């Protein structure tokens, strides 16, 4: 069984296109870093209230399932 030989158009990806891909990946990485930082600050501010927020969410879900909301 012979594998097809690569054609002359194998390396048609231009440098500008590759740089655009890298730029998009870096922008996504930076956005994820900012979002995780904001969520970290929010988690620190709401630290002691996290169990109460969880209980409130559970209570709302139970009330919704029982048609009490």
């Amino acid at each position: 069984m012979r594998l097809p030989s690569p054609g002359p158009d194998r390396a048609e990806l231009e440098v500008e296109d590759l740089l655009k891909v890298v730029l998009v990946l870096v922008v996504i990485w930076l956005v994820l870093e900012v979002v995780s930082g904001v969520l970290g600050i929010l988690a620190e501010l709401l630290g002691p209230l996290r169990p109460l927020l969880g209980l409130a969410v559970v209570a709302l879900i139970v009330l919704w399932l029982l048609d009490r909301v």
Side-chain angles (χ1 to χ4, degrees):
M1 177 176 194
R2 287 184 50 176
L3 295 175
S5 62
D9 59 352
R10 182 173 178 229
E12 281 194 17
L13 185 63
E14 295 181 11
V15 174
E16 289 84 13
D17 294 334
L18 186 60
L19 286 175
K20 288 177 188 175
V21 169
V22 171
L23 180 64
V24 167
L25 290 175
V26 168
V27 167
I28 291 172
W29 174 51
L30 289 174
V31 167
L32 289 175
E33 288 289 328
V34 168
V35 168
S36 78
V38 168
L39 290 178
I41 291 171
L42 188 63
E44 286 180 22
L45 291 175
L46 297 176
L49 298 177
R50 260 192 268 167
L52 294 176
L53 288 174
L55 286 174
V57 169
V58 169
L60 285 174
I61 291 172
V62 168
L63 290 174
W64 182 72
L65 288 174
L66 295 174
D67 290 328
R68 303 277 184 176
V69 175

